[in-house]
Amino acid sequence: MSSLPRRAKLQVQGVVSKDEFSSFSELSSASEEDDKEDSSWEPQKKVSRSRKQLAPKESKPKRMPRVKKNTPQISDGSEAVVKEELNSSVAIADTALEDRKNKLDTVETPKTAKRKRKCSAQAHSAQRTKKLKADEETSKATNVEGESNSSETPSTSTVWGGTCKKEENEDDFTFGQSPLKKMKTETCPQGQPVKFPANANNTKEEVEMNWDIVQVLSERTNVEPWVCANAIRLFNDDNTIPFIIRYRKELINNLDADSLREVQQTLEELRAVVKKVHNTIQKIKKEGKMSECLLKALLNCKTFEELEHVSAPYKTGSKGTKAQRARQLGLEGAARTLLEKPGELNLLSYIRPDVKGLSTLQDIETGVQHILADMIAKDKDTLDFIRKLCQNRHVSIQSSLAKVSSKKVNEKDVDKFLLYQHFSCNIRTIHHHQILAINRGENLKILTVKVDISDGVKNEFCRWCIQNRWRPRSFARPELMKILHNSLDDSFKRLIYPLLCREFRAKLTSDAEKESVMMFGRNLRQLLLTSPVPGRTLMGVDPGYKHGCKLAIISPTSQILHTDVVYLHCGQGFREAEKIKRLLLNFNCSTVVIGNGTACRETEAYFADLIMKNYFAPLDVVYCIVSEAGASIYSVSPEANKEMPGLDPNLRSAVSIARRVQDPLAELVKIEPKHIGVGMYQHDVSQTLLKATLDSVVEECVSFVGVDINICSEVLLRHIAGLNANRAKNIIEWREKNGPFINREQLKKVKGLGPKSFQQCAGFIRINQDYIRTFCSQQTESSGQIQGVAVTSLADVEVTNEKQGKKKSKTAVNILLKPNPLDQTCIHPESYDIAMRFLSSIGGTLCEIGKPEMQQKINSFLEKEGIEKTAERLQTTVHTLQVIIDGLSQPESFDFRTDFDKPDFKRSIVCLEDLQVGTVLTGRVENATLFGIFVDIGVGKAGLIPIRNVTEAKLSKTKKRRSLGLGPGEKVEVQVLNIDISRSRITLDLIRVL
């Protein structure tokens, strides 16, 4: 992939984003006074009207071919991307962009140019004042970027010559002085060159708020602002997490996948808030209830709870709040006078005997009190003070047994929540799993929950309000001060305290759900990356009692060799042993895989007894236990029916169990992640968040392992970054029709696979060179041609017979039908030019990729030159060069999963009754939760290592690990601390990680 299109794209985006950020920063600082807010709001309405006029024109594709005339150096592959950027950003008033548009006017029709100038004039006149400030900020930001990026290119793509015209705003992403950790406080500490979406809708939502989305995102995720700014731009450009993590490391300061996923999810939450605020504003305006104060309060909202608090009185069908009813009686003037000029306030003048609510002095005082309470509860400074006060004081969450729980709820369910029937904990120290447990008990009507804020907080809050924020501007009579005191009490008790409770509960629940989902994701990642056991013939056993144990024997290539049913637990065990022995000998199978479901312990004991008696001689048979979670659901799915047509669903489960050991990743991706069973409280968390996270983890694992596109299944292919079910199907159909892919460039010929999809998926797709050489030699011997083109191994040959009937937009570039050894590596096609120059520098050739000679040449060269100096000479980043070095060094068919442990193969069994306190055992982690680690120690019941016993000192520092904490599949040495046979509970202590 050429770097020229990417550079052109970066420049266009850079020009647009400067003005967006400048107008955004103006709004952030314009919320101090009402008159400023008013002046900043009106131009926004004008901008939105000008956008509506431009909207129909944006959808017309007629204008862009003229852009192509002015930029002949941009290739076809990226023209659509540049076109999209220009179209979506036409409403932004930016000086540099207008200059470019003026140049384009010369080649447009007079009618189009006239219409364009008219719309530009409207947008320009609406934002003339803001544009002057924006130009100053843009020039400053450009200077900062220019100084820090003069010796460094922001893309991992190849370096171009002078064919692409340079523009004023050269760089699209934020960089510090170095792609290392020290970036975060240097050059761009506040993410100065922040870029916002070119997408008009998202930009509009973010620009209209009174807070900086980058700053809020940074505060919530604990990630540097400049990294957040770059992440926003990357996600807006439809980049996937695996692609960013591997090929754009320098832009995200080496963030790991989980942290980047958290940034993405938080960004989506903030945008959802922005969207809901925008819709609420439009709705209230339509009803004619909008005021300056309300608008300011809405634009300050950062969470759904704040928005609900502000907008609740204005919902359709609401009878109105007490404050609204008092305002309708005309008492708002009296409330404001009490604060501003209390000496002039005469409440008796508001008495109207014939009007309900104004008939007595007491009614008027109550009405004024309600208005003041409402003003206090919706004041941003007041709410900020009380929130900060609560952070520094003791605030606890308490749960107790509900009074009606014993009548309606099962006694066993009540016993489950014994720990939380008299529970109290500070909200700053409570654990995530405790929050989820309390919430579950509350939903089941077993527990009642409340947030306790001490009286000291209320007293200090009222004192601060009287002395500072809500102090009358002149002397107020005692009766008026009494109204003010009552207003503060009423506001805190009736409005502010419930708001704080909702906020605390929502924040605790949100954090607990996120941590639970992240824990599920980490467990799933470790399970998917379990080391495969290739090259073995396996017997899968799905245990059962009445319906027998289902057997399936699969070949080393996962082909089904034989299926059968045996009845081991119905008094026929000895007779069935002969059948099992015969099957194992016939297929030379020495490994048995047993599912951990019903009758697992009995089946394990059966095989262990036969192995101990050496019954299967001369075979040395071993067995292992594997989780069968999700196997039953998969066996009746359409995918299983398509893959194993005509096979009984019960036997499909046995096949799935065997394949989970042979290649865990390829088999587990067929099952919906939430059915795999390695989570905690997975049914209590947001199912949308859970699905999005788990799908992202699966995509990350499949992409990082990589797939051989010529032999992989459609199910596996659809989980590659940048692909989906439809694109995967098209790739398989193309492969079946045209034969195997010779190189990665041929992917561009697949229907529905555009430049962006190719960019995202290309680095994760492998093409086995031995397979291609065999295929090419066979084709050469038989016909000498492939697809109408002569095959040669030395000359670059172009495809001449394009498929007919393609869409006009899918006119592929000339694709070389020549195997490229780099296609078997993790090196991205956009970096092939850099890789070739690096190879020539070290004196290597493509034939040496993955061989020891290549490793020696790379090591000797880097010892002399150093990786940083080499990267600078090749005009690329250190991260990109490291990917190239890894790709050239790793042997063909390299799989990083082999660095981790394989399943435990056993020959004997231990019973729960055999255990004693103090016994040291070896086990394998089955599941990790927030309160402890469940370990399978081979006794049929997993033991629990409390989280307090898992310390950093006990974790291996030398062995390569998949994560910082323990996760499924890791082998550990444990000591038995306690055994409760009646409750089948085993408490363990972690000795070390093996």
Side-chain angles (χ1 to χ4, degrees):
M1 180 183 293
S2 170
S3 63
L4 187 53
R6 177 168 175 78
R7 185 47 139 184
K9 180 178 176 183
L10 295 185
Q11 290 169 345
V12 174
Q13 293 171 345
V15 173
V16 175
S17 303
K18 292 290 181 184
D19 191 47
E20 292 176 355
F21 176 65
S22 61
S23 61
F24 180 83
S25 61
E26 277 189 24
L27 276 179
S28 299
S29 62
S31 59
E32 295 179 2
E33 296 180 6
D34 290 343
D35 56 337
K36 290 184 180 179
E37 178 61 33
D38 193 32
S39 64
S40 67
W41 176 251
E42 287 303 319
Q44 288 297 322
K45 290 191 280 191
K46 293 179 183 177
V47 173
S48 64
R49 285 200 296 270
S50 67
R51 285 180 181 171
K52 288 180 182 177
Q53 293 172 1
L54 290 170
K57 199 173 78 172
E58 288 179 3
S59 61
K60 295 181 180 180
K62 296 178 181 179
R63 209 182 69 187
M64 296 319 297
R66 295 176 175 81
V67 178
K68 184 178 177 183
K69 294 178 184 178
N70 289 348
T71 55
Q73 68 275 22
I74 298 178
S75 66
D76 294 342
S78 68
E79 185 179 347
V81 181
V82 178
K83 181 192 301 182
E84 180 185 344
E85 291 295 331
L86 286 174
N87 278 338
S88 62
S89 60
V90 75
I92 306 299
D94 190 281
T95 311
L97 189 57
E98 285 177 1
D99 291 342
R100 295 183 59 183
K101 290 181 180 178
N102 291 338
K103 295 178 182 178
L104 296 179
D105 284 340
T106 59
V107 294
E108 292 178 340
T109 62
K111 184 176 179 180
T112 305
K114 183 178 179 181
R115 186 167 65 249
K116 179 179 175 182
R117 284 195 297 271
K118 182 179 177 181
C119 295
S120 297
Q122 291 176 358
H124 183 68
S125 61
Q127 294 189 353
R128 188 179 302 275
T129 307
K130 290 184 179 181
K131 197 175 76 175
L132 296 175
K133 297 181 181 179
D135 291 340
E136 296 175 5
E137 292 182 12
T138 303
S139 60
K140 291 178 183 177
T142 308
N143 293 336
V144 172
E145 286 183 67
E147 294 172 2
S148 62
N149 289 293
S150 57
S151 61
E152 183 173 287
T153 54
S155 172
T156 59
S157 56
T158 55
V159 181
W160 52 90
T163 57
C164 186
K165 182 179 178 182
K166 295 179 74 174
E167 297 189 15
E168 292 179 11
N169 295 325
E170 182 173 315
D171 292 313
D172 186 50
F173 292 103
T174 306
F175 284 86
Q177 295 182 354
S178 159
L180 301 178
K181 278 288 183 185
K182 62 183 179 181
M183 289 173 72
K184 71 179 186 179
T185 54
E186 296 182 8
T187 306
C188 303
Q190 298 302 321
Q192 178 66 22
V194 174
K195 304 299 183 292
F196 286 96
N199 181 303
N201 292 331
N202 285 343
T203 303
K204 180 179 178 182
E205 290 167 6
E206 293 169 8
V207 166
E208 286 183 355
M209 299 306 291
N210 282 349
W211 40 267
D212 185 342
I213 194 170
V214 175
Q215 202 60 39
V216 175
L217 186 61
S218 174
E219 291 168 2
R220 291 194 182 180
T221 58
N222 236 0
V223 174
E224 298 91 332
W226 67 267
V227 176
C228 291
N230 286 344
I232 290 174
R233 169 57 65 191
L234 287 164
F235 289 132
N236 288 341
D237 288 343
D238 296 325
N239 290 292
T240 58
I241 287 178
F243 177 80
I244 296 171
I245 292 295
R246 178 169 285 180
Y247 301 113
R248 297 292 185 265
K249 281 185 178 180
E250 66 277 3
L251 297 178
I252 58 168
N253 203 18
N254 274 325
L255 277 185
D256 59 68
D258 287 336
S259 300
L260 187 59
R261 194 174 293 110
E262 184 184 358
V263 170
Q264 184 184 39
Q265 291 168 354
T266 307
L267 176 63
E268 290 172 358
E269 286 178 14
L270 289 173
R271 284 181 171 166
V273 172
V274 171
K275 185 177 180 180
K276 192 167 182 181
V277 167
H278 179 73
N279 292 338
T280 304
I281 290 174
Q282 298 302 321
K283 188 176 179 182
I284 295 176
K285 275 187 176 182
K286 192 174 180 181
E287 295 171 358
K289 299 178 181 178
M290 182 60 70
S291 65
E292 291 182 5
C293 293
L294 175 59
L295 177 61
K296 184 176 178 180
L298 287 169
L299 292 175
N300 285 332
C301 293
K302 299 178 186 176
T303 64
F304 289 113
E305 288 72 36
E306 290 180 29
L307 178 60
E308 178 70 21
H309 176 67
V310 174
S311 64
Y314 303 93
K315 287 185 177 179
T316 306
S318 172
K319 63 180 181 180
T321 62
K322 294 179 178 179
Q324 275 186 314
R325 294 197 290 272
R327 286 188 174 99
Q328 290 169 1
L329 293 172
L331 295 177
E332 185 169 13
R336 294 191 178 277
T337 304
L338 189 151
L339 294 173
E340 296 170 2
K341 299 176 181 178
E344 300 177 5
L345 180 60
N346 182 11
L347 294 179
L348 295 175
S349 63
Y350 288 89
I351 295 178
R352 301 285 184 274
D354 55 339
V355 179
K356 184 180 179 181
L358 297 177
S359 56
T360 65
L361 182 63
Q362 179 64 37
D363 290 341
I364 294 172
E365 289 179 349
T366 303
V368 171
Q369 173 185 316
H370 289 156
I371 293 174
L372 287 173
D374 184 70
M375 293 169 61
I376 293 167
K378 290 179 180 175
D379 180 67
K380 183 177 182 297
D381 293 338
T382 304
L383 292 176
D384 287 344
F385 176 82
I386 187 64
R387 289 186 185 113
K388 188 175 181 181
L389 190 62
C390 288
Q391 287 178 1
N392 300 324
R393 296 299 182 89
H394 181 82
V395 178
S396 63
I397 185 168
Q398 300 173 353
S399 67
S400 58
L401 190 65
K403 295 179 181 178
V404 295
S405 63
S406 57
K407 299 178 182 178
K408 299 181 180 179
V409 184
N410 192 332
E411 191 68 30
K412 292 182 179 179
D413 290 337
V414 175
D415 292 340
K416 291 178 182 178
F417 296 93
L418 192 62
L419 290 173
Y420 301 101
Q421 292 180 7
H422 302 283
F423 179 83
S424 178
C425 186
N426 192 316
I427 61 171
R428 290 194 296 272
T429 59
I430 191 169
H431 296 293
H432 296 302
H433 68 273
Q434 293 173 326
I435 288 293
L436 294 173
I438 288 173
N439 289 350
R440 178 182 286 184
E442 186 179 34
N443 292 334
L444 294 173
K445 311 296 183 188
I446 296 174
L447 301 177
T448 55
V449 186
K450 72 171 185 176
V451 176
D452 181 56
I453 300 177
S454 63
D455 292 337
V457 172
K458 176 187 173 183
N459 295 336
E460 186 171 343
F461 167 74
C462 293
R463 187 165 55 250
W464 175 84
C465 289
I466 289 292
Q467 295 176 356
N468 295 280
R469 179 66 178 164
W470 299 99
R471 181 178 182 178
R473 296 188 180 179
S474 60
F475 173 76
R477 299 187 300 277
E479 60 269 20
L480 297 182
M481 289 302 295
K482 183 181 179 182
I483 294 175
L484 186 57
H485 278 286
N486 291 339
S487 300
L488 286 169
D489 290 340
D490 180 45
S491 180
F492 185 85
K493 181 179 180 180
R494 184 169 56 88
L495 301 173
I496 294 178
Y497 173 72
L499 171 66
L500 292 175
C501 291
R502 289 195 301 270
E503 285 185 352
F504 289 143
R505 291 289 305 277
K507 178 73 166 57
L508 290 171
T509 300
S510 174
D511 290 347
E513 285 190 356
K514 285 180 182 176
E515 187 58 36
S516 176
V517 170
M518 295 294 277
M519 176 66 76
F520 201 144
R522 287 193 291 269
N523 290 344
L524 178 64
R525 181 189 294 111
Q526 299 219 159
L527 196 62
L528 292 176
L529 296 181
T530 302
S531 181
V533 184
R536 290 196 193 194
T537 301
L538 302 176
M539 174 184 281
V541 181
D542 185 6
Y545 290 115
K546 185 185 295 185
H547 299 290
C549 297
K550 279 66 70 177
L551 306 181
I553 299 179
I554 63 171
S555 70
T557 57
S558 293
Q559 301 300 312
I560 302 173
L561 301 177
H562 182 80
T563 57
D564 211 330
V565 180
V566 292
Y567 298 88
L568 306 181
H569 313 301
C570 301
Q572 305 178 32
F574 183 75
R575 191 194 322 160
E576 300 289 16
E578 285 295 326
K579 182 193 286 189
I580 294 172
K581 180 178 181 180
R582 188 168 61 251
L583 289 175
L584 293 176
L585 290 171
N586 287 347
F587 294 101
N588 193 27
C589 175
S590 60
T591 306
V592 179
V593 183
I594 304 172
N596 67 346
T598 305
C600 169
R601 288 295 289 172
E602 292 80 358
T603 305
E604 181 185 7
Y606 178 85
F607 276 95
D609 184 53
L610 293 178
I611 291 171
M612 293 298 289
K613 293 176 180 177
N614 204 21
Y615 183 79
F616 299 116
L619 293 176
D620 181 18
V621 176
V622 294
Y623 72 90
C624 70
I625 308 295
V626 68
S627 171
E628 64 176 42
S632 300
I633 295 173
Y634 166 71
S635 65
V636 294
S637 67
E639 289 291 345
N641 192 38
K642 182 179 177 182
E643 185 181 2
M644 295 175 274
L647 192 63
D648 183 80
N650 293 318
L651 296 173
R652 289 175 188 164
S653 297
V655 174
S656 177
I657 287 169
R659 287 176 174 171
R660 290 185 184 200
V661 171
Q662 196 167 64
D663 191 347
L665 181 62
E667 189 62 26
L668 291 175
V669 294
K670 302 173 185 176
I671 300 164
E672 197 172 351
K674 67 180 182 182
H675 296 315
I676 294 178
V678 288
M680 178 191 71
Y681 292 98
Q682 67 188 64
H683 301 294
D684 297 288
V685 302
S686 166
Q687 295 303 300
T688 305
L689 177 64
L690 180 66
K691 186 178 187 310
T693 302
L694 299 186
D695 288 347
S696 178
V697 170
V698 172
E699 180 184 75
E700 171 198 335
C701 293
V702 175
S703 298
F704 285 169
V705 171
V707 298
D708 187 338
I709 195 170
N710 288 321
I711 62 172
C712 71
S713 67
E714 181 183 327
V715 178
L716 194 62
L717 197 58
R718 68 177 60 155
H719 292 289
I720 287 288
L723 300 183
N724 54 27
N726 195 37
R727 290 170 189 152
K729 182 181 177 183
N730 291 342
I731 288 174
I732 299 298
E733 288 176 354
W734 193 97
R735 186 177 75 189
E736 292 173 352
K737 183 176 181 180
N738 301 280
F741 288 87
I742 306 300
N743 56 30
R744 284 171 171 168
E745 290 295 315
Q746 281 186 293
L747 284 167
K748 294 178 179 178
K749 295 171 64 65
V750 177
K751 180 183 177 182
L753 205 68
K756 193 67 187 179
S757 300
F758 176 81
Q759 180 198 37
Q760 298 301 304
C761 74
F764 306 113
I765 284 175
R766 308 279 188 271
I767 296 179
N768 188 293
Q769 296 302 297
D770 289 338
Y771 182 86
I772 295 303
R773 280 192 289 269
T774 304
F775 173 77
C776 289
S777 62
Q778 290 174 353
Q779 294 294 314
T780 305
E781 290 171 5
S782 59
S783 64
Q785 292 187 346
I786 297 178
Q787 299 180 9
V789 182
V791 178
T792 60
S793 58
L794 298 176
D796 292 346
V797 182
E798 296 180 355
V799 176
T800 57
N801 59 334
E802 297 291 339
K803 290 169 110 178
Q804 299 300 319
K806 287 265 186 181
K807 293 180 181 178
K808 291 183 180 179
S809 61
K810 192 64 180 175
T811 52
V813 209
N814 289 333
I815 296 174
L816 304 179
L817 197 67
K818 175 185 174 183
N820 187 343
L822 292 175
D823 289 341
Q824 70 184 343
T825 69
C826 60
I827 302 172
H828 198 281
E830 67 183 9
S831 302
Y832 279 2
D833 181 59
I834 301 173
M836 293 304 296
R837 286 189 280 126
F838 178 71
L839 271 177
S840 63
S841 300
I842 65 174
T845 62
L846 291 174
C847 300
E848 297 174 336
I849 291 178
K851 296 181 179 178
E853 307 90 75
M854 176 65 74
Q855 186 68 59
Q856 292 173 2
K857 290 180 180 179
I858 292 175
N859 291 341
S860 59
F861 181 81
L862 293 180
E863 284 177 7
K864 297 177 184 177
E865 296 285 333
I867 190 168
E868 293 180 2
K869 188 176 179 182
T870 305
E872 185 177 350
R873 189 161 56 82
L874 293 173
Q875 293 180 295
T876 186
T877 63
V878 174
H879 296 290
T880 303
L881 183 57
Q882 188 60 56
V883 171
I884 291 172
I885 292 171
D886 292 342
L888 297 176
S889 306
Q890 292 164 353
E892 190 173 348
S893 68
F894 169 78
D895 189 343
F896 73 91
R897 292 178 295 170
T898 55
D899 292 335
F900 307 119
D901 292 327
K902 291 180 171 58
D904 273 332
F905 294 104
K906 302 185 288 184
R907 294 181 175 84
S908 60
I909 188 171
V910 180
C911 298
L912 180 61
E913 289 74 16
D914 298 336
L915 289 181
Q916 293 181 351
V917 174
T919 304
V920 176
L921 299 167
T922 299
R924 190 170 294 277
V925 175
E926 194 175 77
N927 192 13
T929 68
L930 300 175
F931 54 85
I933 312 295
F934 289 96
V935 180
D936 179 8
I937 53 176
V939 297
K941 187 69 179 177
L944 175 68
I945 306 176
I947 199 66
R948 62 179 178 272
N949 293 344
V950 183
T951 60
E952 189 177 348
K954 296 177 182 179
L955 300 179
S956 173
K957 296 181 177 60
T958 56
K959 185 180 174 184
K960 188 172 182 181
R961 301 175 57 76
R962 283 168 286 193
S963 68
L964 296 177
L966 285 172
E970 296 206 60
K971 200 171 181 180
V972 293
E973 188 176 45
V974 295
Q975 184 178 29
V976 179
L977 294 181
N978 185 38
I979 305 168
D980 186 346
I981 296 179
S982 61
R983 301 172 71 186
S984 295
R985 289 189 176 182
I986 308 167
T987 307
L988 306 172
D989 183 25
L990 176 65
I991 298 177
R992 62 193 176 103
V993 181
L994 301 174

